[in-house]
Amino acid sequence: MTPATPSAASAAPPPASPGQPAFSPAAAPKVASPAEPLLFIVSAPSGSGKSTLVREILRLIPDLEFSISYTTRRPRGSEVNGREYFFISREEFEKRIRSDDFLEYAEVFGYWYGTAWSFLEDARRRGRDLLLDIDVQGAAKVLVRCPGAISIFIAPPNRETLEWRLRHRAQDPEAVMERRLRDASREIAAYNKYQYLVINDRLEDSVERLAAIIATEREARKGAGTDESGRQRRELARSCRQQVSAPLLAPVLRSFGVEMEVGKPGA
Ligand code: ADP
Ligand code: 5GP
């Protein structure tokens, strides 16, 4: 059985305008406080190292909360209910769809995953920014409803490394791993829908880049960002802008059998 058709997720998108807050009031009527947190969306093909990176970033960066998704898949490895995910049944997931609990939800690798509105509301109440680790379908939906969100794509250095990381993690049955690898080619082709691109080769470099992107976007919101101390960080963030860094992705795409579309700028 598939979940009921979403009512909220198919709502008409609010119009985009310069200086727009991350959450459009029209798209988020339940939110009460006027403070506007930044919303960071991080997506990547499975096994790229996104969860590892996100974990490091959450330890490093203050006032940044993680949106814990709901999923119908079973816990993996050392995952704990309420920490990595809320693990719920299909029936419970469908009930939540009907209650309009989700900002977005999608089927990924045969299971349902969804982002709860309540995380956005809580982040706003607490004056924190929010980080979403969601797939490319979910990211597209959130960007329609929250046009001010900042989107970041994490790519592996190449297909071989992705496969090695998935196998080394050793938490998925062979069939699941194969499916994740198969879907990686489709997912990686979505890189040009994102504002930023980070190729996760050396973990420390990727953490530094992700931290620079978040700090730079925070400065931009405050209208700050002219001090010399932040110059290098801003430059690093700029080098991760998709239009700037996309050429570095060409060999990565080729390793997945995907050709870069020349002359077709992304987001
Ligand atoms: P994802 O969340 O994208 O599915 P994970 O964060 O679970 O991926 O990482 C997959 C595997 O790769 C894990 O075993 C992790 O420790 C390892 N890993 C993550 N980033 C790196 C990196 N930069 N270099 C080497 N190994 C990494
Ligand atoms: P995993 O099973 O490896 O934890 O996650 C599989 C995929 O689902 C990843 O791409 C992850 O980003 C994505 N995902 C996790 N939570 C959500 C969510 O709430 N919504 C959507 N659309 N995707 C999610």
Side-chain angles (χ1 to χ4, degrees), residues 3 13 29 40 51 57-58 63 78 93 96 112 118 136 139 145-146 157 171 178 199 207 215-216 223 226 239 251:
F40 295 96
S51 312
I57 281 296
L58 290 168
D63 299 331
S78 58
F93 200 95
R96 286 180 177 273
W112 289 96
S118 58
V136 297
R145 309 195 83 195
C146 308
Q171 287 174 353
E178 302 263 321
I199 300 176
V207 171
T216 301
T226 51
S239 73

Side-chain angles (χ1 to χ4, degrees), residues 42-188:
V42 182
S43 302
S46 179
S48 302
K50 176 170 42 107
S51 312
T52 309
L53 260 170
V54 164
R55 226 176 4 252
E56 291 296 314
I57 281 296
L58 290 168
R59 276 205 324 210
L60 269 178
I61 303 214
D63 299 331
L64 182 66
E65 296 192 351
F66 179 63
S67 166
I68 304 171
S69 295
Y70 287 81
T71 182
T72 60
R73 87 151 159 77
R74 310 291 303 159
R76 188 172 64 202
S78 58
E79 287 178 335
V80 173
N81 187 38
R83 189 176 67 189
E84 284 82 6
Y85 286 105
F86 293 107
F87 298 97
I88 61 174
S89 67
R90 209 163 238 273
E91 290 69 32
E92 173 67 17
F93 200 95
E94 288 169 10
K95 209 166 99 196
R96 286 180 177 273
I97 292 172
R98 287 194 295 274
S99 309
D100 209 7
D101 283 355
F102 294 126
L103 161 61
E104 66 75 35
Y105 64 87
E107 190 182 7
V108 191
F109 311 127
Y111 296 98
W112 289 96
Y113 293 80
T115 305
W117 273 114
S118 58
F119 273 89
L120 270 66
E121 293 160 12
D122 291 348
R124 176 179 272 190
R125 252 194 304 276
R126 288 197 281 264
R128 305 273 170 81
D129 295 330
L130 191 66
L131 194 150
L132 267 55
D133 168 347
I134 59 178
D135 86 319
V136 297
Q137 310 167 72
K141 290 179 193 167
V142 174
L143 285 167
V144 167
R145 309 195 83 195
C146 308
I150 296 130
S151 56
I152 305 163
F153 193 83
I154 312 289
N158 51 54
R159 190 188 181 283
E160 196 187 357
T161 306
L162 182 78
E163 179 163 0
W164 188 88
R165 286 184 188 166
L166 273 174
R167 293 194 183 283
H168 184 74
R169 186 169 72 186
Q171 287 174 353
D172 298 302
E174 181 64 27
V176 173
M177 230 150 27
E178 302 263 321
R179 172 147 193 202
R180 286 174 181 242
L181 273 170
R182 245 193 345 264
D183 283 9
S185 308
R186 180 182 48 78
E187 289 172 327
I188 204 160

